[in-house]
Amino acid sequence: MFAARFERFGPPEVLSVGDLPEPHAGPGEVRIRVRAAGVSPVDLAIRAGRSRSPVTLPHIPGVDAAGVVDEGPGIGDEVFGAVDVARLGGASAEFAVLAFWAPKPPSMPWEQAGGAASGVETATRALDLLDVGAGSTLLIDGASGGVGSLAVGLALARGARVLGTGAPENREFLAGLGAIPVAYGPGLRERVPETVDAALDVAGKGSLPDLVALTGSPSTVVTLADFSGPEHGVRVSVGALGGQPDGRHGLAHAAKLFEEGRFAVPVQRVFPLAEAAAAHAVTGPRRGKIVLRVS
Ligand SMILES: NC(=O)c1ccc[n+]([C@@H]2O[C@H](COP(=O)([O-])OP(=O)(O)OC[C@H]3O[C@@H](n4cnc5c(N)ncnc54)[C@H](OP(=O)(O)O)[C@@H]3O)[C@@H](O)[C@H]2O)c1
C-alpha cells in the first residue's frame, strides 16, 4: 500500500510517500481504506525523535483517520476514529487499523472526520473532569489549536459560556467559534474580563498559577499538556488513545451534535498525502486541525 512514512528521525523533509506492507485488523479493531487523516503535535514529536515512546522505523505518522471499513465488523461503513495507543501512528496511509471509531455522519466532510477523533475524546474527557455543563463559565488556554478549538465547540454544545485564549491575530477566529477571546501569555489573570468556574490548559505554556487564581481552586483546573500540574495541585489528564475503553463516548456524541448542526471540526488546512512534509512544517497561528487528504 502507499503511505507517508519516514525511515529516520528528523525535520519534516524526512517524510515521503512510498510502499509499505498493509496492516490487518486484530480482534476489536477495523481496517479502513483511509480518505483523510489528521496531523497532531504527537506526530511531529515522534518524527523529530522527541518522543519518549519508542516506534520502529519505517514509521507511518498519524493517529486520527476517517474512511471506509474494509476488514472487521461493518465492512463498507463510513467511520472516523483513532489508532491504538501502542501503534502511535499508521493513519497517513492507504489502509489504517482503528482501535476505536464511530459512524461518520453522511454530511460530515471527510477532512473534518479525519482530524477529529483523539481531539474529541481528549476534550470530552477534560470537560467531564471539570464537570462543564449548562451555566458553567469555562476558560480554555490555547483555544485556537486542534484540541482547544474542539473543546470550545463541545463546551458550547453543553450550554457553557466559554472564554478562549489565543494569539492577537486569532481574536476573530475565536469569536467565530463562539468563544470570548482573550490574549494568551503572561499576565493572563489581569486580562480575563469575568469570573470563571473552571479552566482547561490545553497549551502547557506555564499558565497554571493564573488559572488556579482565576477559578479560585486547583480542583477546578485541568491540564492536558503541563506535567508540572501536580506541583500546583492541578490534575493532568492523559490517555486520548487508550486505557479507558468504557470512558470513551465523545466521538459518537460529537457525530450526533454534528448532525444536529451544533458542532463542527475546525480545519485550518488540508494537504494531499504527497505533501505530508509541508503539512508537518506549518507554522504561525493555529486555527483548528491540519489534515491530509489520502484518497
Ligand atoms: N493529554 C492528552 O491526552 C493530550 C491529547 C492530545 C494533545 N495533547 C497535547 O495538547 C497540546 C495541544 O494540542 P493541539 O493539538 O491543540 O496543538 P496545536 O493544534 O498545535 O495547538 C496549540 C495551541 O496552543 C496555543 N499557544 C501557543 N502558545 C501559547 C501560549 N503561550 N499560551 C497559550 N496558548 C498558546 C497555540 O496558539 P497559536 O498557534 O495561535 O500560537 C495553539 O492554539 C499539545 O501539547 C499536545 O501534545 C494532550
Side-chain angles (χ1 to χ4, degrees):
M1 68 167 183
F2 62 81
R5 48 59 169 136
F6 55 87
E7 289 172 355
R8 63 180 175 87
F9 300 108
E13 297 71 42
V14 298
L15 271 170
S16 62
V17 175
D19 270 327
L20 282 178
E22 291 177 12
H24 291 285
E29 297 178 326
V30 291
R31 187 177 84 164
I32 59 170
R33 181 179 285 274
V34 180
R35 300 292 301 272
V39 176
S40 301
V42 67
D43 304 330
L44 276 56
I46 291 171
R47 188 217 68 234
R50 281 190 281 108
S51 169
R52 267 173 285 163
S53 311
V55 297
T56 50
L57 299 177
H59 180 74
I60 302 171
V63 294
D64 296 320
V68 181
V69 176
D70 88 325
E71 268 184 23
I75 288 176
D77 290 355
E78 295 185 350
V79 300
F80 64 139
V83 304
D84 186 81
V85 66
R87 294 184 199 252
L88 273 178
S92 54
E94 188 176 2
F95 297 103
V97 170
L98 301 182
F100 72 92
W101 64 91
K104 181 186 86 66
S107 59
M108 182 184 261
W110 284 109
E111 287 83 1
Q112 287 195 37
S118 60
V120 163
E121 289 298 338
T122 300
T124 301
R125 194 182 63 234
L127 298 181
D128 286 350
L129 283 172
L130 290 167
D131 205 17
V132 172
S136 320
T137 300
L138 171 71
L139 172 65
I140 300 175
D141 192 32
S144 72
V147 176
S149 61
L150 292 170
V152 170
L154 293 169
L156 289 169
R158 292 179 181 211
R161 184 173 168 79
V162 180
L163 294 89
T165 77
E169 47 276 66
N170 267 340
R171 279 191 75 80
E172 244 174 75
F173 173 72
L174 289 169
L177 293 179
I180 298 156
V182 180
Y184 64 44
L188 179 61
R189 73 181 80 172
E190 280 86 49
R191 288 191 301 278
V192 174
E194 58 187 277
T195 316
V196 295
D197 303 313
L200 173 60
D201 169 32
V202 182
K205 299 287 185 186
S207 64
L208 294 181
D210 278 341
L211 301 185
V212 171
L214 284 161
T215 67
S217 167
S219 65
T220 42
V221 180
V222 162
T223 179
L224 296 172
D226 188 340
F227 291 95
S228 78
E231 291 167 29
H232 305 275
V234 167
R235 287 169 289 175
V236 182
S237 172
V238 291
L241 298 176
Q244 47 172 357
D246 298 335
R248 284 193 202 117
H249 58 278
L251 211 50
H253 183 63
K256 183 169 170 284
L257 290 174
F258 182 91
E259 283 183 312
E260 293 167 0
R262 298 169 59 208
F263 173 74
V265 180
V267 173
Q268 175 166 8
R269 260 186 94 176
V270 179
F271 293 84
L273 186 70
E275 292 173 26
H280 273 224
V282 171
T283 54
R286 298 303 313 273
R287 297 187 178 133
K289 292 295 300 185
I290 305 291
V291 176
L292 295 169
R293 182 77 201 204
V294 177
S295 66

